[in-house]
Amino acid sequence: MTPFLVPGRLMRHAAILACSVLLAVAVAAPPALAASGPFVDFKGAWSGTGKVRTETKTERIRCDAKYRVSDSRGHAVNLELTCKSDSYSFDLVGDFRANASGAISGRWTERSRGIGGTVIGQGRGDYIQILVESSAFAAKLVMVTRGSRQSVSIDSHGGGRVVKASIGLHRR
Protein backbone atom coordinates (compact mmCIF):
# COMPACT_ATOMS: atom_id res chain seq x y z
CA MET A 1 0.00 0.00 0.00
CA THR A 2 1.43 3.42 -0.92
CA PRO A 3 1.67 6.01 1.86
CA PHE A 4 -0.79 8.37 0.12
CA LEU A 5 -3.63 5.86 0.09
CA VAL A 6 -3.49 5.09 3.80
CA PRO A 7 -7.10 5.73 4.96
CA GLY A 8 -6.19 8.32 7.62
CA ARG A 9 -4.05 10.35 5.20
CA LEU A 10 -6.67 10.10 2.48
CA MET A 11 -9.29 11.57 4.82
CA ARG A 12 -6.95 14.39 5.89
CA HIS A 13 -6.13 15.25 2.25
CA ALA A 14 -9.85 15.21 1.36
CA ALA A 15 -10.65 17.47 4.31
CA ILE A 16 -7.87 19.93 3.36
CA LEU A 17 -9.07 19.95 -0.26
CA ALA A 18 -12.69 20.55 0.82
CA CYS A 19 -11.65 23.44 3.10
CA SER A 20 -9.57 24.96 0.29
CA VAL A 21 -12.51 24.83 -2.12
CA LEU A 22 -14.87 26.40 0.45
CA LEU A 23 -12.35 29.17 1.17
CA ALA A 24 -11.89 29.87 -2.56
CA VAL A 25 -15.67 30.12 -3.06
CA ALA A 26 -16.04 32.42 -0.05
CA VAL A 27 -13.31 34.75 -1.31
CA ALA A 28 -14.63 34.76 -4.89
CA ALA A 29 -18.22 35.63 -3.90
CA PRO A 30 -18.33 37.88 -0.84
CA PRO A 31 -21.53 37.36 1.15
CA ALA A 32 -22.04 41.13 1.58
CA LEU A 33 -22.85 41.48 -2.12
CA ALA A 34 -25.57 38.86 -2.01
CA ALA A 35 -27.05 40.38 1.15
CA SER A 36 -26.86 44.02 0.04
CA GLY A 37 -30.07 45.96 -0.31
CA PRO A 38 -30.94 48.32 -3.16
CA PHE A 39 -29.93 51.46 -1.19
CA VAL A 40 -26.41 50.34 -0.25
CA ASP A 41 -24.71 52.85 -2.60
CA PHE A 42 -27.03 55.82 -1.87
CA LYS A 43 -25.47 57.26 1.29
CA GLY A 44 -24.58 60.94 1.23
CA ALA A 45 -25.37 64.20 -0.52
CA TRP A 46 -25.95 64.30 -4.29
CA SER A 47 -26.65 67.12 -6.75
CA GLY A 48 -27.23 67.52 -10.44
CA THR A 49 -29.33 68.80 -13.29
CA GLY A 50 -31.88 67.55 -15.73
CA LYS A 51 -35.03 68.44 -17.59
CA VAL A 52 -38.63 68.68 -16.48
CA ARG A 53 -41.41 68.52 -19.06
CA THR A 54 -45.00 69.61 -18.43
CA GLU A 55 -47.86 69.74 -20.92
CA THR A 56 -46.78 73.21 -22.07
CA LYS A 57 -42.97 73.40 -21.83
CA THR A 58 -39.62 71.81 -21.10
CA GLU A 59 -37.19 73.43 -18.66
CA ARG A 60 -33.81 72.77 -17.10
CA ILE A 61 -34.06 71.66 -13.48
CA ARG A 62 -31.53 71.64 -10.64
CA CYS A 63 -31.76 69.01 -7.89
CA ASP A 64 -30.23 68.14 -4.55
CA ALA A 65 -30.67 64.81 -2.79
CA LYS A 66 -29.72 63.59 0.66
CA TYR A 67 -29.81 59.91 1.49
CA ARG A 68 -29.40 58.52 4.99
CA VAL A 69 -28.99 54.76 4.79
CA SER A 70 -30.07 53.48 8.19
CA ASP A 71 -28.54 50.01 8.08
CA SER A 72 -25.13 48.80 6.92
CA ARG A 73 -26.56 46.49 4.25
CA GLY A 74 -28.63 49.12 2.45
CA HIS A 75 -32.13 47.83 3.16
CA ALA A 76 -33.51 51.11 4.57
CA VAL A 77 -33.15 54.73 3.46
CA ASN A 78 -34.48 58.12 4.44
CA LEU A 79 -34.38 60.45 1.45
CA GLU A 80 -34.87 64.09 0.58
CA LEU A 81 -35.06 65.14 -3.08
CA THR A 82 -35.54 68.83 -3.86
CA CYS A 83 -35.72 70.09 -7.44
CA LYS A 84 -36.39 73.54 -8.93
CA SER A 85 -36.75 75.03 -12.38
CA ASP A 86 -37.89 78.52 -13.36
CA SER A 87 -41.57 77.61 -12.97
CA TYR A 88 -41.72 74.18 -11.33
CA SER A 89 -40.44 72.65 -8.09
CA PHE A 90 -40.91 69.69 -5.82
CA ASP A 91 -39.68 68.75 -2.38
CA LEU A 92 -39.96 65.01 -1.75
CA VAL A 93 -39.08 63.22 1.48
CA GLY A 94 -39.56 59.56 2.25
CA ASP A 95 -38.66 56.49 4.24
CA PHE A 96 -38.22 53.34 2.17
CA ARG A 97 -37.41 49.77 3.20
CA ALA A 98 -36.49 46.73 1.13
CA ASN A 99 -36.81 43.10 2.12
CA ALA A 100 -34.29 40.38 1.30
CA SER A 101 -35.80 39.81 -2.17
CA GLY A 102 -35.63 43.54 -3.05
CA ALA A 103 -39.33 44.39 -2.62
CA ILE A 104 -39.55 48.06 -1.61
CA SER A 105 -42.26 49.71 0.48
CA GLY A 106 -42.54 52.94 2.39
CA ARG A 107 -44.09 56.36 2.83
CA TRP A 108 -43.43 59.70 1.14
CA THR A 109 -44.45 63.34 1.44
CA GLU A 110 -44.22 66.14 -1.08
CA ARG A 111 -43.73 69.02 1.35
CA SER A 112 -44.42 72.02 -0.92
CA ARG A 113 -47.85 70.63 -1.91
CA GLY A 114 -48.73 68.99 1.40
CA ILE A 115 -49.50 65.58 -0.08
CA GLY A 116 -48.15 62.14 0.73
CA GLY A 117 -48.75 58.49 0.30
CA THR A 118 -47.25 55.07 -0.14
CA VAL A 119 -44.36 53.57 -2.08
CA ILE A 120 -44.13 50.11 -3.60
CA GLY A 121 -41.51 48.77 -5.95
CA GLN A 122 -38.55 46.54 -6.60
CA GLY A 123 -34.80 46.94 -6.44
CA ARG A 124 -32.21 44.70 -8.07
CA GLY A 125 -28.53 45.54 -8.13
CA ASP A 126 -28.11 49.13 -9.29
CA TYR A 127 -31.70 49.43 -10.63
CA ILE A 128 -34.78 50.53 -8.65
CA GLN A 129 -38.30 50.97 -9.98
CA ILE A 130 -40.97 52.33 -7.64
CA LEU A 131 -44.50 53.65 -7.75
CA VAL A 132 -45.44 56.50 -5.40
CA GLU A 133 -49.17 57.02 -4.89
CA SER A 134 -51.70 59.11 -3.01
CA SER A 135 -55.44 59.51 -3.52
CA ALA A 136 -54.90 62.23 -6.17
CA PHE A 137 -51.42 61.56 -7.50
CA ALA A 138 -49.22 58.78 -8.87
CA ALA A 139 -45.67 58.75 -10.18
CA LYS A 140 -43.30 56.11 -11.48
CA LEU A 141 -39.66 56.56 -10.52
CA VAL A 142 -36.72 54.68 -11.97
CA MET A 143 -33.34 55.10 -10.31
CA VAL A 144 -30.04 53.68 -11.55
CA THR A 145 -27.00 54.13 -9.31
CA ARG A 146 -23.50 53.32 -10.52
CA GLY A 147 -20.67 54.44 -8.26
CA SER A 148 -20.91 58.18 -7.73
CA ARG A 149 -23.55 58.71 -10.46
CA GLN A 150 -27.30 58.30 -10.27
CA SER A 151 -29.99 58.81 -12.90
CA VAL A 152 -33.59 59.45 -11.87
CA SER A 153 -36.58 59.35 -14.21
CA ILE A 154 -39.98 60.51 -13.00
CA ASP A 155 -43.30 60.13 -14.80
CA SER A 156 -46.12 61.66 -12.74
CA HIS A 157 -49.85 62.15 -13.20
CA GLY A 158 -52.26 63.86 -10.88
CA GLY A 159 -53.69 67.16 -9.79
CA GLY A 160 -54.62 67.84 -13.41
CA ARG A 161 -50.96 67.77 -14.55
CA VAL A 162 -48.61 65.43 -16.30
CA VAL A 163 -44.96 65.98 -15.41
CA LYS A 164 -41.96 64.03 -16.64
CA ALA A 165 -38.42 64.57 -15.42
CA SER A 166 -35.01 63.11 -16.14
CA ILE A 167 -32.22 64.00 -13.73
CA GLY A 168 -28.54 63.12 -13.52
CA LEU A 169 -27.05 63.29 -10.02
CA HIS A 170 -23.50 62.90 -8.76
CA ARG A 171 -22.29 62.35 -5.22
CA ARG A 172 -20.78 65.47 -3.62
Side-chain angles (χ1 to χ4, degrees):
M1 193 178 238
T2 62
F4 183 74
L5 296 178
V6 174
R9 284 191 183 164
L10 183 58
M11 292 302 283
R12 272 194 306 265
H13 288 293
I16 290 169
L17 180 61
C19 287
S20 299
V21 169
L22 288 174
L23 181 62
V25 169
V27 169
L33 282 178
S36 292
F39 312 116
V40 73
D41 291 328
F42 278 36
K43 185 178 181 178
W46 300 66
S47 63
T49 60
K51 292 185 180 182
V52 62
R53 190 172 74 229
T54 64
E55 297 91 352
T56 57
K57 61 179 147 183
T58 299
E59 297 179 331
R60 303 272 307 152
I61 195 164
R62 173 105 180 108
C63 300
D64 290 303
K66 293 179 188 166
Y67 300 112
R68 286 178 288 289
V69 179
S70 57
D71 72 344
S72 62
R73 292 191 175 167
H75 287 95
V77 67
N78 170 272
L79 66 89
E80 297 177 32
L81 178 61
T82 304
C83 295
K84 295 179 182 178
S85 72
D86 288 340
S87 64
Y88 185 81
S89 68
F90 61 90
D91 185 4
L92 178 74
V93 296
D95 289 299
F96 302 168
R97 298 192 75 63
N99 66 19
S101 65
I104 297 169
S105 62
R107 309 255 339 133
W108 64 274
T109 301
E110 205 292 326
R111 293 189 286 200
S112 64
R113 291 174 178 79
I115 60 172
T118 59
V119 173
I120 58 169
Q122 186 69 37
R124 292 245 192 284
D126 60 3
Y127 182 85
I128 293 175
Q129 182 171 343
I130 59 176
L131 176 65
V132 296
E133 294 182 296
S134 74
S135 59
F137 173 84
K140 294 177 188 173
L141 276 78
V142 174
M143 303 171 82
V144 179
T145 306
R146 293 192 176 121
S148 63
R149 302 235 176 253
Q150 185 177 73
S151 66
V152 180
S153 298
I154 303 170
D155 185 1
S156 67
H157 303 271
R161 294 185 84 177
V162 175
V163 177
K164 298 178 186 276
S166 59
I167 305 156
L169 301 171
H170 62 277
R171 191 183 325 263
R172 290 188 267 171

